[in-house]
Amino acid sequence: MKKRAVFLALLISLAALCACNGGNRGKKGSDDEVSAVVGITQDLDSLDPHKAVAAGTDEVLFNVFEGLVKPSVDGTLVPAVAKDYTIAPDGTAYTFVLRENIKFHNGAPVTADDVVYSIKRCAGLLADPDPEVVVESALSVISSVEKEGEDTVVITLSEPNTELLAFLTCAIIPEDYTEQESKPVGTGPFQFVSYTPLSDFVMERFEDYYGERAYLDKVTFKICASTDAAFMELLAGGIDIFPYLTEEQASQLTEEYSLEVGASNLVQAMFLNNDFAPFQDVRVRQALCYGVNKQELLNIVSGGRGHIIGSNMFPNFGVYYEASLENYYTFQPEKAKELLADAGYNESNPLRFTMKVPSNYDFHVATAQVLADQYGKIGVKAEIQLIEWSAWLTEVYRSREYEATIVGLDSVMAPSDVLKRYSSQAANNFVNYKSERFDELFAKALASTAESEKAAYYKEIQTLLTEDAASVYLQDAAKLVAVSKKFTNFLFYPVYVLDMASLRPAEE
């Protein structure tokens, strides 16, 4: 233990040397500027919000961009670029009235034309679409986007959809601006200053923001190579806020930091490529579900914190969440072995597969290590292959060249968003799951305008995914955040974001 303490002290000293020019850590300088440094472990995959894929990018750009509406801390959607809206009783039209005198960060006024352009761009409806834009499949139901006068936009749908509002959090950007990928411009409480790949993303308070202005003058998101590297810099004073602490790191926080705990609002799972030969057999997939001791996993990786889940949805979805599935696959190693034997796997012919895990997420790496150990006890040879995040996006998410992977999936506050990737034709169905029953139920859920009926459909869908063992669903992990005591009012949202506008300096 003494050797470990000495080693830790040495690392902290080295980190302090590296962090000596890391900023003022929230202290007022000669010009009274108040700033904060936030440690993140994933580089941004695009500065254009319509081209970004990674949840880690979304949580940063949340501060720069806004949609017609935006999520609040209680899970409701509140007006943003729009000041008001109405939804037709039959769910086939949405009408938005825009705020007066709202500006983009470049000083240009936000117009109805900008809103029409932005929604069409996200929906793939522009006459000359950019192939790099990630078209939101949920917006495919839109048949037209038109302005009425100078302050009203009407979105007409080809069929009823009462969940569309959650997808209209997509960023409103200027129609005639061509530098979004290098100098992004939005309407949020912070505006872009600079970005250096693999180093940092800097933003400053937008003085002409229509709502309550941010308390901080400047925020720097510092991109760290790993959780360990970020934590060493945190202890050395180079980082004020770090939102991805491990349980062990949380126990080592110094008195300069408070520990904030909330839900990640992610579906963490060992996602299975259902086209990989062994995983085409439902018995194999079910065996892997029975072979996991989820409570032991939580105890090891997060000190027992976290919420065990049983399907592809997290608890914050409230009435749509099927809690009974949390105990569908209890830890039954003998049953797992029986299913594997039925599928032709035994000691002389063990099931073998590789988990590709993004190396920058220590939590997912630790989860993989626990699962590999647990699977070894039922005769399964699960190997871990650590890959960089960019490689994960290319190999796993886009090309589907993998057998299994461990990540967390986020969503907007619409139950369809967290489930739609399992649709047979979904472009982001990276697990290659195919089920006619799923497609049928999903279509009915989307078309339903009665909330009780919609909830029933989504619960049936979750049950189907669980029974099919489409993947090995693990937990909505606890989010452990270190916050310098120089700051207060760090807020957790029911979606995956980091809100820096609410953060304020502690009173001195």
Side-chain angles (χ1 to χ4, degrees):
M1 184 63 70
K2 289 183 178 180
K3 290 182 178 179
R4 177 179 176 83
V6 171
F7 179 63
L8 179 60
L10 177 61
L11 285 177
I12 294 174
S13 298
L14 290 173
L17 291 175
C18 296
C20 59
N21 295 317
N24 61 19
R25 301 190 68 254
K27 294 180 180 178
K28 291 186 177 182
S30 57
D31 58 353
D32 288 338
E33 178 183 86
V34 182
S35 64
V37 179
V38 184
I40 58 176
T41 58
Q42 176 184 307
D43 202 357
L44 280 65
D45 61 327
S46 178
L47 300 186
D48 185 327
H50 299 164
K51 297 182 179 181
V53 173
T57 300
D58 290 340
E59 68 175 348
V60 172
L61 296 185
F62 172 81
N63 298 279
V64 177
F65 296 97
E66 294 177 316
L68 288 166
V69 294
K70 63 181 180 181
S72 63
V73 292
D74 65 1
T76 58
L77 295 167
V78 298
V81 172
K83 69 177 182 180
D84 195 13
Y85 64 89
T86 56
I87 303 174
D90 64 357
T92 60
Y94 290 66
T95 301
F96 294 89
V97 180
L98 308 185
R99 292 183 184 275
E100 298 91 353
N101 303 317
I102 185 171
K103 294 181 181 180
F104 287 113
H105 297 149
N106 61 359
V110 178
T111 68
D113 288 324
D114 295 317
V115 173
V116 170
Y117 166 78
S118 299
I119 301 302
K120 284 187 173 182
R121 190 175 190 241
C122 291
L125 296 176
L126 293 178
D128 185 22
D130 185 337
E132 294 184 5
V133 168
V134 180
V135 175
E136 174 52 66
S137 61
L139 301 181
S140 63
V141 71
I142 294 176
S143 58
S144 68
V145 186
E146 300 175 333
K147 71 173 184 177
E148 291 187 356
E150 295 303 315
D151 67 347
T152 303
V153 173
V154 179
I155 300 175
T156 304
L157 313 185
S158 58
E159 59 189 52
N161 189 312
T162 59
E163 296 182 48
L164 195 70
L165 192 65
F167 297 94
L168 296 176
T169 55
C170 58
I172 302 302
I173 62 176
E175 178 181 14
D176 57 356
Y177 185 70
T178 60
E179 298 183 86
Q180 247 352 307
E181 292 186 65
S182 58
K183 300 176 182 178
V185 166
T187 63
F190 287 94
Q191 62 184 12
F192 171 79
V193 174
S194 66
Y195 167 64
T196 304
L198 299 176
S199 178
D200 57 45
F201 177 93
V202 182
M203 60 188 191
E204 64 185 10
R205 181 175 58 220
F206 180 40
E207 301 296 343
D208 289 332
Y209 185 59
Y210 64 85
E212 184 178 7
R213 290 195 310 162
Y215 291 87
L216 303 184
D217 298 289
K218 177 182 175 182
V219 176
T220 298
F221 288 94
K222 196 162 199 174
I223 303 163
C224 303
S226 67
T227 301
D228 285 340
F231 185 63
M232 289 300 102
E233 191 155 349
L234 179 85
L235 295 182
I239 289 175
D240 299 301
I241 301 168
F242 183 56
Y244 319 111
L245 288 174
T246 65
E247 176 65 21
E248 182 180 2
Q249 290 169 346
S251 68
Q252 298 174 28
L253 281 181
T254 60
E255 62 181 11
E256 287 82 11
Y257 296 90
S258 60
L259 176 65
E260 306 292 336
V261 182
S264 290
N265 300 302
L266 294 172
V267 172
Q268 192 207 33
M270 183 176 75
F271 293 97
L272 306 175
N273 186 344
N274 284 226
D275 274 354
F276 176 54
F279 299 156
Q280 292 173 356
D281 191 327
V282 67
R283 295 171 297 182
V284 174
R285 302 195 303 267
Q286 290 172 340
L288 293 180
C289 291
Y290 282 118
V292 175
N293 186 331
K294 296 181 184 180
Q295 189 56 58
E296 180 183 67
L297 169 66
L298 265 64
N299 292 343
I300 294 174
V301 302
S302 58
R305 296 184 178 99
H307 194 120
I308 290 173
I309 59 176
S311 193
N312 204 94
M313 190 172 283
F314 46 85
N316 260 332
F317 273 106
V319 297
Y320 300 106
Y321 179 71
E322 184 52 80
S324 66
L325 299 176
E326 294 171 5
N327 297 313
Y328 189 93
Y329 290 108
T330 56
F331 178 50
Q332 299 185 52
E334 294 306 316
K335 187 173 183 64
K337 291 178 183 178
E338 290 175 7
L339 286 166
L340 289 171
D342 288 344
Y345 297 98
N346 49 47
E347 289 185 9
S348 59
N349 180 38
L351 171 66
R352 299 177 182 273
F353 67 90
T354 299
M355 296 180 280
K356 287 187 176 181
V357 185
S359 58
N360 57 310
Y361 284 109
D362 283 9
F363 188 80
H364 297 321
V365 174
T367 299
Q369 292 168 341
V370 174
L371 292 188
D373 180 66
Q374 291 183 350
Y375 284 145
K377 296 174 182 177
I378 60 171
V380 172
K381 309 296 183 182
E383 297 183 358
I384 300 171
Q385 180 184 352
L386 300 182
I387 60 175
E388 294 183 354
W389 179 246
S390 59
W392 187 93
L393 286 173
T394 299
E395 296 175 21
V396 178
Y397 192 76
R398 296 192 179 99
S399 301
R400 307 181 189 183
E401 296 173 353
Y402 78 105
E403 296 167 6
T405 187
I406 297 177
V407 290
L409 300 180
D410 74 326
S411 76
V412 300
M413 284 307 295
S416 60
D417 190 42
V418 76
L419 293 168
K420 67 184 180 181
R421 67 179 69 251
Y422 290 92
S423 296
S424 299
Q425 303 304 316
N428 61 346
N429 183 357
F430 73 99
V431 296
N432 290 312
Y433 177 77
K434 302 292 188 296
S435 167
E436 292 182 3
R437 180 61 176 159
F438 178 97
D439 294 342
E440 175 188 347
L441 289 170
F442 192 70
K444 289 181 177 179
L446 282 178
S448 177
T449 57
E451 285 303 295
S452 59
E453 181 182 62
K454 185 184 288 288
Y457 281 131
Y458 281 130
K459 288 183 177 181
E460 189 172 351
I461 287 172
Q462 292 167 67
T463 301
L464 176 64
L465 291 175
T466 301
E467 292 174 345
D468 281 353
S471 288
V472 182
Y473 303 106
L474 301 171
Q475 64 171 317
D476 175 16
K479 191 170 190 175
L480 310 182
V481 184
V483 179
S484 168
K485 290 182 180 178
K486 293 181 174 64
F487 302 102
T488 63
N489 207 44
F490 180 87
L491 301 180
F492 289 93
Y493 281 68
V495 288
Y496 196 71
V497 299
L498 284 171
D499 179 15
M500 293 295 105
S502 64
L503 201 72
R504 62 192 69 182
E507 294 184 4
E508 297 181 358

